[in-house]
Amino acid sequence: TNLTEGLGSSIAALDNSVFGLLANNKLVAWRMEDLEVGNSWDFGGGAALDPVRSGSHVFVVDSNNQLWCLDDQQQLLWKAPLENVPPVGPPIECRQGLCIATRTGSVVTLNPETGEQLSVADLALPISSGPVLWKNRLLVVGDDGAVYNLSQP
């Protein structure tokens, strides 16, 4: 299978599966062993965030700002709304769960098993990138160009 044919995003790989968004807005999973197409999902208006790996899952954000969590068996485990706010970077694993920064200045922590929101840290200013894990802290970059050091949830 030619993975670049019709591919409209970057790809993210787990041990047994690779995920990518096709140009026709279909999220597709391939089996790593033979690159045969497995499961696929209609992704409507495209992605706000291309597929990324974090830990043992792949995450992707659709155009409705729903965070999707997929596993190595090509199963959709859950979807979680990001309250109509686009993320500014990929989610990362943090001490209490999965952390994702939003454009409006929040770092949201989700339960990685269910997508349930556990906490929200509000920076009260727009975030342009992050979060990045540093020691026991989270770093994000504000629109003002400053790096903000937040305690890890």
Side-chain angles (χ1 to χ4, degrees):
T1 301
N2 183 351
L3 290 180
T4 61
E5 186 175 309
L7 199 58
S9 75
S10 58
I11 58 174
L14 296 171
D15 292 339
N16 300 304
S17 300
V18 60
F19 298 83
L21 190 67
L22 299 180
N24 67 359
N25 293 327
K26 189 171 282 251
L27 180 64
V28 177
W30 293 268
R31 290 190 311 256
M32 196 64 105
E33 65 186 43
D34 56 12
L35 295 181
E36 289 298 317
V37 174
N39 287 342
S40 64
W41 302 265
D42 183 13
F43 227 59
L49 178 71
D50 284 352
V52 294
R53 178 181 181 157
S54 183
S56 60
H57 297 100
V58 164
F59 297 93
V60 61
V61 178
D62 67 21
S63 61
N64 295 317
N65 293 315
Q66 293 270 331
L67 178 65
W68 296 40
C69 176
L70 301 126
D71 70 9
D72 204 18
Q73 285 70 50
Q74 302 180 6
Q75 298 300 308
L76 174 62
L77 299 179
W78 50 261
K79 291 184 205 179
L82 295 178
E83 299 181 16
N84 297 322
V85 178
V88 293
I92 63 167
E93 289 184 347
C94 56
R95 185 173 32 223
Q96 296 296 317
L98 186 70
C99 292
I100 188 163
T102 65
R103 182 86 187 108
T104 57
S106 298
V107 177
V108 179
T109 304
L110 303 173
N111 179 322
E113 301 303 318
T114 65
E116 174 189 4
Q117 185 173 299
L118 300 174
S119 66
V120 178
D122 190 10
L123 195 56
L125 58 92
I127 297 174
S128 60
S129 72
V132 173
L133 191 58
W134 176 69
K135 297 187 180 181
N136 287 326
R137 310 289 293 177
L138 291 176
L139 304 178
V140 295
V141 177
D143 270 4
D144 60 1
V147 176
Y148 293 89
N149 185 346
L150 306 171
S151 61
Q152 188 181 160

